[in-house]
């Protein structure tokens, strides 16, 4: 079966770089399947799980807390704000991070710029997605 290069880069390191059959990424507008020959595009990512398929089976699942993906016919490069293998997620840690994000959002005042409120809400949604991914793992 045809493959393409999937690269997943976090601020800390390169997490994944190999040929895969398919990847499902959490695009801001919804789940997006990437296959070899995909139309070129750039997409924003929301918090969610990247699913990797190789040899006809799902081989890896990684949580990303947002970022961007560049898709070409032969490559998908994910630049993640934060990325963690699903097996490494802790429910307790995810719950703590949800609480912190919700507290930060609640502390925003009417005088704060709308961009600050939007960024804080995106963080809340991302951490809730992390908690959901940790519970499902």
């Amino acid at each position: 079966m045809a493959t393409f290069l999937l690269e997943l880069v976090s601020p800390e390191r390169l997490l994944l770089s190999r040929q895969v059959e398919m990847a499902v990424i959490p695009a801001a507008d919804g789940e997006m399947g990437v296959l070899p020959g995909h139309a070129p595009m750039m997409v924003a990512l929301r918090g969610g799980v990247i699913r990797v398929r190789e040899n006809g089976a799902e081989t890896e699942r990684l949580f990303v807390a947002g970022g961007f993906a560049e898709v070409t016919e032969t490559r998908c490069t994910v630049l993640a704000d934060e990325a963690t293998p699903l097996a490494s997620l802790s429910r307790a840690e995810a719950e703590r991070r949800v609480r912190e994000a919700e507290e930060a959002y609640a502390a925003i005042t009417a005088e704060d710029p709308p961009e600050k409120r939007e960024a804080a809400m995106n963080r809340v949604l991302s951490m809730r997605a992390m908690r959901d991914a940790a519970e499902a793992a």
Side-chain angles (χ1 to χ4, degrees):
M1 176 168 238
T3 62
F4 65 95
L5 179 63
L6 174 63
E7 293 185 317
L8 174 58
V9 182
S10 74
E12 296 85 29
R13 63 190 171 108
L14 176 67
L15 290 167
L16 182 79
S17 179
R18 67 176 181 257
Q19 295 291 319
V20 302
E21 292 173 359
M22 179 180 184
V24 178
I25 60 176
D29 292 333
E31 298 288 306
M32 180 176 135
V34 179
L35 292 164
H38 197 286
M41 63 179 57
M42 291 282 296
V43 295
L45 301 178
R46 61 178 164 72
V49 176
I50 293 178
R51 292 173 172 78
V52 179
R53 293 189 60 85
E54 299 170 282
N55 300 317
E58 186 173 278
T59 58
E60 196 149 8
R61 295 183 304 156
L62 303 116
F63 175 80
V64 293
F68 293 90
E70 177 186 21
V71 180
T72 69
E73 292 181 4
T74 60
R75 171 188 299 236
C76 176
T77 303
V78 175
L79 304 172
D81 295 339
E82 175 183 339
T84 308
L86 216 53
S88 299
L89 290 181
S90 155
R91 282 180 70 182
E93 175 67 11
E95 285 290 350
R96 182 188 66 76
R97 292 180 70 181
V98 167
R99 279 192 306 277
E100 287 176 358
E102 289 173 343
E103 289 167 3
Y105 181 76
I108 294 173
T109 66
E111 291 80 37
D112 287 320
E115 297 83 19
K116 184 174 180 181
R117 179 174 298 282
E118 183 178 345
M121 178 51 72
N122 286 340
R123 185 72 179 162
V124 168
L125 295 174
S126 181
M127 292 302 99
R128 287 178 180 170
M130 175 187 272
R131 179 188 59 203
D132 293 347
E135 288 174 356

